[in-house]
């Protein structure tokens, strides 16, 4: 006979999996700790399997629990969609969507797009979390985000992904920097320069390092910083060269506060959408994804950037 699993048991299972303890799950679900513990124990008893590894008061999903969690989340989302379909006006989008985005996408592209989408669909709540690319993928894998937007392509085989739009990084320096007057930089200049870069795990850093490897050049990293603004301030202070998305330095280049350098590096990349294939894709999820694909980012703000594209390499002076 098939075990009778209740909505409450699945809800407790998913919440304990996310928070790591019965007491935290009880508080979030507004249940007593004993009722929460009983629901979890009854679920494991009915299934005749253990879903967690117990470490004192902490609970961590075992291998089977990790396999079953996406299915539980999908069932829970399906029940919520069922209730909403019965109570909301026909055709009106509603609900909450958790979106994790890498820093460049989340800072310079998504806020305007999310604002436009929310204005058109006031019954929705899009929650945006800024992370680096590695962390976004982890959030989607752990079902802590419904949709992720990352810099570059997704190489995680457990996730599905789709290219969204193209981006280009640009090497910049302060107007007073010795390299500011050069045309295309040669390998010696790239290797001797001090670099101010994003932290490891960042999509921006990954693209830059791959481009340098393709040229056979090892960068001399002076500073690693986790924020675009911090990197720009360090570059403005003359501490070294930076490599950032064209989106993040458009204003500084337009005002002449930063100078673009022609590095000769291949700094093109793709922004991608990523999602868990077993996560329930609600009508809100599908509508927002279609909106992102059809709307896309705004016109490239550096399309007329005065970076020289001369093929002649110039050594550092």
């Amino acid at each position: 006979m098939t075990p009778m699993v209740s909505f409450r048991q699945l809800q407790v299972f998913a919440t304990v999996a996310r928070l790591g303890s019965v007491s935290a799950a009880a508080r979030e679900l507004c249940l007593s700790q004993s009722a929460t513990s009983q629901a979890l124990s009854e679920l494991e008893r009915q299934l005749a399997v253990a879903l967690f590894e117990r470490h004192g008061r902490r609970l961590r999903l075992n291998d089977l629990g990790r396999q079953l969690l996406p299915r539980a989340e999908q069932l829970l989302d399906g029940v919520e969609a069922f209730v909403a379909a019965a109570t909301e006006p026909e055709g009106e989008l509603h609900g909450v969507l958790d979106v994790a985005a890498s820093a460049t996408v989340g800072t310079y592209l998504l806020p305007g797009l999310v604002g436009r989408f929310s204005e058109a669909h006031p019954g929705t709540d899009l929650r945006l979390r800024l992370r680096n690319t590695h962390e976004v993928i982890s959030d989607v894998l752990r079902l802590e985000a419904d949709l992720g937007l990352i810099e570059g392509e997704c190489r995680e085989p457990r996730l599905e992904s789709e290219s969204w739009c193209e981006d280009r990084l640009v090497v910049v320096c302060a107007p007073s920097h010795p390299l500011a007057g050069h045309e295309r930089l040669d390998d010696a200049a790239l290797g001797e320069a001090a670099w101010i870069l994003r932290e490891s795990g960042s999509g921006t850093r990954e693209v830059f390092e791959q481009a340098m490897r393709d040229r056979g050049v090892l960068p001399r990293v002076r500073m690693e910083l986790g924020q675009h603004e911090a990197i720009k301030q360090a570059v403005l202070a003359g501490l070294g060269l930076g490599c950032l998305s064209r989106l993040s330095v458009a204003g500084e280049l337009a005002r002449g506060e930063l100078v673009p350098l022609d590095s000769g590096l291949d700094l093109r990349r793709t922004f991608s959408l990523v999602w868990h294939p077993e996560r329930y894709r609600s009508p809100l999820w599908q509508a927002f994804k279609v909106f992102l694909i059809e709307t896309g980012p705004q016109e490239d703000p550096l399309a007329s950037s005065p970076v020289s594209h001369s093929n002649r390499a110039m050594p550092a002076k």
Side-chain angles (χ1 to χ4, degrees):
M1 180 181 295
T2 302
M4 297 298 293
V5 176
S6 70
F7 174 84
R8 176 64 75 193
Q9 290 170 344
L10 290 176
Q11 190 179 43
V12 166
F13 165 59
T15 307
V16 171
R18 176 164 49 84
L19 299 179
S21 76
V22 170
S23 58
R27 286 192 296 271
E28 178 164 311
L29 297 173
C30 298
L31 296 172
S32 68
Q33 187 166 335
S34 61
T36 304
S37 180
Q38 182 178 354
L40 185 59
S41 298
E42 184 64 15
L43 174 64
E44 291 183 314
R45 188 192 67 77
Q46 289 179 326
L47 296 176
V49 296
L51 300 173
F52 292 88
E53 297 173 356
R54 269 71 175 177
H55 301 276
R57 294 189 176 183
R58 301 294 298 177
L59 282 78
R60 181 181 303 169
L61 286 172
N62 59 24
D63 289 341
L64 179 60
R66 281 190 290 271
Q67 293 176 29
L68 293 179
L69 180 59
R71 297 179 181 274
E73 294 276 6
Q74 187 173 10
L75 289 169
L76 292 169
D77 288 339
V79 171
E80 292 179 2
F82 172 81
V83 173
T87 58
E88 294 289 337
E90 185 176 355
E92 181 177 323
L93 285 176
H94 62 278
V96 177
L97 196 68
D98 289 310
V99 180
S102 57
T104 301
V105 182
T107 301
Y108 300 101
L109 290 179
L110 267 190
L113 293 170
V114 167
R116 291 170 57 187
F117 185 87
S118 299
E119 184 177 355
H121 306 286
T124 63
D125 181 11
L126 272 62
R127 300 174 181 173
L128 177 60
R129 180 188 310 154
L130 297 186
R131 316 277 272 163
N132 68 32
T133 293
H134 176 76
E135 292 167 335
V136 170
I137 290 174
S138 294
D139 284 353
V140 176
L141 274 175
R142 295 195 302 265
L143 303 176
E144 294 178 3
D146 298 296
L147 181 67
L149 290 94
I150 62 171
E151 302 160 18
E153 298 179 354
C154 179
R155 299 183 182 90
E156 170 52 62
R158 291 171 290 177
L159 297 180
E160 294 186 5
S161 65
E162 180 177 337
S163 297
W164 179 37
C165 64
E166 292 187 352
D167 183 39
R168 175 167 56 86
L169 306 181
V170 59
V171 174
V172 294
C173 68
S176 59
H177 194 281
L179 293 177
H182 282 265
E183 294 186 19
R184 177 174 291 185
L185 305 179
D186 64 5
D187 292 349
L190 293 172
E192 293 169 5
W195 290 92
I196 317 296
L197 299 175
R198 285 287 307 277
E199 78 285 2
S200 296
S202 158
T204 298
R205 176 72 173 267
E206 182 180 348
V207 170
F208 170 77
E209 289 186 335
Q210 182 59 56
M212 292 286 274
R213 283 194 295 270
D214 291 343
R215 287 274 290 271
V217 179
L218 182 66
R220 185 165 64 90
V221 181
R222 183 173 187 180
M223 299 177 68
E224 292 185 347
L225 300 169
Q227 300 293 330
H228 295 92
E229 189 60 34
I231 293 174
K232 287 190 285 186
Q233 291 303 317
V235 173
L236 286 167
L239 298 180
L241 307 185
C243 183
L244 292 166
S245 168
R246 78 216 193 283
L247 299 166
S248 66
V249 294
E252 287 80 6
L253 290 174
R255 295 188 296 268
E257 297 168 356
L258 290 175
V259 175
L261 298 175
D262 188 352
S263 64
L265 298 171
D266 183 2
L267 297 173
R268 296 168 296 175
R269 64 177 175 180
T270 300
F271 291 153
S272 301
L273 309 177
V274 297
W275 62 92
H276 199 297
E278 296 185 18
R279 180 93 183 204
Y280 173 67
R281 294 189 283 279
S282 66
L284 171 57
W285 187 99
Q286 298 176 53
F288 186 61
K289 179 176 179 287
V290 169
F291 171 80
L292 290 176
I293 295 295
E294 292 184 347
T295 304
Q298 300 302 307
E299 183 179 352
D300 184 348
L302 296 186
S304 59
S305 173
V307 177
S308 170
H309 292 283
S310 167
N311 291 323
R312 181 167 57 92
M314 296 290 288
K317 293 181 181 178

